[in-house]
């Protein structure tokens, strides 16, 4: 299955286009070169995300690498990527329903050969190479609800609070009983104190005891990490140096994953004009 199937591309672009603010032409003579269409830039940014290629490799006669970076930064400043992710989550919650009762959090370390703000020497990579850690929060079905980026030398436990605080994007629409599923890396009094402070129950694997991933409800976060790394090469090898750019690509990947799952699950319960003939 492709990372961005055709059934996802059209609604994704339609919503993204609606979020782009109008461009104010401030040129005194109005005789500059025509602006590259937003659709062209968006599709090339998707290629960068999925293929993990450099901007220069994706650029051609229709759009330069400089234009890709400049338009990307404009959209990041406007908050479009974060807003797109939020709208996809709200649509999924409205049609399918987010499973807030069982949440899972886990960290994932990827290579960061270019260094940068979110790069640190990793103890799990040969030679202590630079890496980036993503602390991912998912619901009971593996839908990504929030991600925190940090250097690879940061422990998972201190990242738990900012990761769970991503639930604030849903306001007061949370159930009274929430269970957070964690692996043995979070087995500490500090973690349990945090869960008590936030009013959440916790199922934490004990250190020193075998806890296969098939046991419990934590496997969904491992699957989501696999969706990130196997479907989006830009996330598997992080070559961006600024956290705001990394967060933007993660938000775009999360929006694609959420929309992809929404179409797949709504296929059996809803009908619409562009509904795919075979189930996605």
């Amino acid at each position: 299955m492709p990372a961005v199937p055709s059934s996802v591309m059209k609604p994704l672009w339609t919503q993204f286009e609606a979020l782009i603010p109008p461009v104010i032409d401030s040129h005194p003579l109005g005789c500059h070169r025509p602006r590259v269409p937003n659709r062209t830039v968006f599709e090339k940014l998707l290629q960068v995300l999925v293929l993990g290629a450099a901007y220069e490799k994706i650029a051609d006669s229709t759009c330069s690498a400089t234009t890709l970076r400049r338009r990307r930064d404009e959209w990041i400043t406007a908050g479009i990527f974060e807003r797109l992710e939020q709208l996809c989550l709200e649509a999924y919650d409205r049609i399918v329903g987010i499973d807030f009762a069982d949440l899972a959090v886990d960290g994932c370390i990827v290579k960061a050969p270019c260094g940068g703000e979110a790069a640190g020497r990793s103890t799990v990579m040969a030679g202590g190479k630079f890496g980036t850690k993503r602390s991912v929060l998912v619901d009971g079905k593996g839908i990504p609800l929030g991600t925190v980026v940090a250097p690879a030398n940061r422990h998972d436990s201190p990242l738990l609070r900012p990761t769970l605080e991503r639930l604030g994007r849903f306001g007061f629409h949370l159930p009274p009983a929430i269970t957070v599923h964690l692996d043995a890396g979070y087995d500490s009094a500090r973690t349990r104190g945090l869960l008590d402070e936030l009013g959440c129950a916790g199922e934490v694997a004990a250190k020193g005891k075998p806890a296969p991933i098939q046991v419990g409800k934590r496997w969904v976060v491992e699957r989501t990490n696999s969706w990130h790394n196997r479907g989006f090469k830009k996330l598997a090898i992080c070559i961006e140096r600024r956290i705001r750019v990394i967060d933007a690509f993660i938000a775009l990947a999360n929006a694609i994953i959420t929309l992809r799952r929404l179409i797949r699950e709504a296929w059996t319960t809803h009908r619409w004009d562009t509904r795919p003939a075979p189930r996605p």
Side-chain angles (χ1 to χ4, degrees):
M1 177 181 177
V4 190
S6 58
S7 59
V8 171
M9 184 64 189
K10 183 177 180 179
L12 186 71
W13 163 246
T14 301
Q15 184 59 74
F16 191 90
E17 183 182 28
L19 297 174
I20 300 176
V23 178
I24 301 176
D25 189 355
S26 58
H27 196 283
L29 301 178
C31 58
H32 49 69
R33 296 175 59 184
R35 183 178 174 86
V36 178
N38 290 325
R39 178 67 181 265
T40 301
V41 178
F42 179 73
E43 290 181 352
K44 290 190 175 299
L45 286 179
L46 282 181
Q47 295 178 36
V48 171
L49 173 63
V50 174
L51 302 178
Y55 297 98
E56 287 75 11
K57 298 293 184 180
I58 301 298
D60 54 22
S61 59
T62 63
C63 182
S64 66
T66 301
T67 299
L68 284 175
R69 296 189 183 95
R70 183 184 298 117
R71 198 74 59 86
R72 175 205 66 192
D73 291 341
E74 290 177 4
W75 291 344
I76 291 175
T77 302
I80 296 179
F81 295 99
E82 183 180 358
R83 182 60 181 156
L84 177 69
E85 179 189 16
Q86 180 69 21
L87 289 173
C88 289
L89 286 172
E90 292 175 357
Y92 182 90
D93 189 28
R94 184 166 56 252
I95 297 175
V96 179
I98 296 177
D99 184 7
F100 288 109
D102 290 293
L103 305 178
V105 179
D106 196 16
C108 176
I109 296 178
V110 297
K111 296 179 180 179
C114 298
E117 298 174 353
R121 295 198 177 276
S122 173
T123 58
V124 299
M125 295 182 182
K129 296 180 180 179
F130 281 105
T132 295
K133 175 173 288 187
R134 296 192 307 267
S135 179
V136 183
L137 169 69
V138 303
D139 78 334
K141 295 183 179 179
I143 300 300
L145 305 181
T147 307
V148 173
V149 176
N153 53 10
R154 290 286 302 278
H155 195 271
D156 288 343
S157 184
L159 298 177
L160 182 59
R161 177 184 290 275
T163 304
L164 290 177
E165 287 177 350
R166 298 295 188 185
L167 291 174
R169 69 195 314 173
F170 300 103
F172 298 98
H173 304 287
L174 297 175
I178 296 178
T179 302
V180 182
H181 302 267
L182 304 167
D183 64 11
Y186 298 89
D187 185 17
S188 66
R190 179 178 180 179
T191 297
R192 293 180 174 82
L194 173 61
L195 295 177
D196 292 340
E197 176 187 342
L198 298 178
C200 300
E203 289 193 6
V204 186
K207 293 181 180 179
K209 296 182 180 180
I213 194 171
Q214 292 80 5
V215 177
K217 300 181 179 180
R218 197 182 59 82
W219 66 273
V220 291
V221 69
E222 300 290 352
R223 183 184 62 178
T224 302
N225 284 330
S226 178
W227 286 343
H228 279 153
N229 293 334
R230 295 176 67 88
F232 308 99
K233 299 302 181 182
K234 187 73 169 179
L235 305 185
I237 301 178
C238 181
I239 60 175
E240 297 291 348
R241 297 180 58 84
R242 293 181 293 167
I243 291 180
R244 66 194 300 257
V245 178
I246 299 173
D247 286 340
F249 278 114
I250 293 176
L252 182 57
N254 288 344
I256 294 171
I257 291 173
T258 304
L259 184 57
R260 196 171 62 194
R261 295 297 300 176
L262 170 59
I263 294 176
R264 178 177 175 83
E265 296 192 33
W267 191 88
T268 59
T269 58
H270 294 71
R271 297 291 184 272
W272 61 94
D273 294 338
T274 57
R275 176 176 178 267
R279 182 176 180 181

